[in-house]
Amino acid sequence: MCPNNRKPATPKPTHPVAIPRERFMRRSRVSVAKLATALGVFRQSVNELLLERRAVSPEMTMRLALLFNNPANFWFNIQQSLDLWEISQSVKNDIARIISRDRR
């Protein structure tokens, strides 16, 4: 158990686009332009996603699901895990001051 009964730090979750970037684009040598065309979006949108400068929107989860033949919630859940991790890091000092009802 960690000091003060705190949970150990969790590692940063993978960005959703890391999966197609590593498993699909690099192995198959697919360009940003080809992926953008397949998804029906602008190259800049795909490039920003691949550089992890942009979150995967609900609309993009649908597009990725159709392209890669898997459920949209697969992509959505990965993004949600990342979002929750990022917000927990940005407010962790504030959250640390909250006392659980179980410890009162």
Side-chain angles (χ1 to χ4, degrees):
M1 178 99 15
C2 291
N4 300 326
N5 294 327
R6 303 220 193 268
K7 293 180 183 178
T10 56
K12 183 177 181 178
T14 302
H15 193 284
V17 295
I19 297 165
R21 181 181 62 223
E22 300 300 324
R23 294 187 183 170
F24 175 68
M25 293 188 71
R26 287 194 179 151
R27 290 182 189 168
S28 302
R29 301 189 194 280
V30 172
S31 68
V32 171
K34 284 184 181 180
L35 183 58
T37 299
L39 290 169
V41 298
F42 294 111
R43 283 186 318 226
Q44 183 176 354
S45 298
V46 170
N47 194 48
E48 287 177 1
L49 280 171
L50 293 171
L51 294 173
E52 300 181 17
R53 294 181 184 159
R54 177 185 286 202
V56 176
S57 68
E59 177 186 337
M60 185 59 76
T61 65
M62 297 294 293
R63 292 173 185 272
L64 289 166
L66 290 169
L67 181 63
F68 292 107
N69 196 29
N70 56 17
N73 66 344
F74 171 79
W75 303 101
F76 192 78
N77 289 339
I78 297 170
Q79 183 63 53
Q80 187 178 44
S81 294
L82 179 60
D83 292 344
L84 288 171
W85 184 87
E86 287 176 346
I87 195 70
S88 72
Q89 298 303 301
S90 69
V91 297
K92 66 182 168 186
N93 292 334
D94 293 335
I95 290 174
R97 291 191 290 264
I98 298 172
I99 300 170
S100 169
R101 294 186 68 193
D102 294 340
R103 292 191 286 160
R104 289 185 187 170

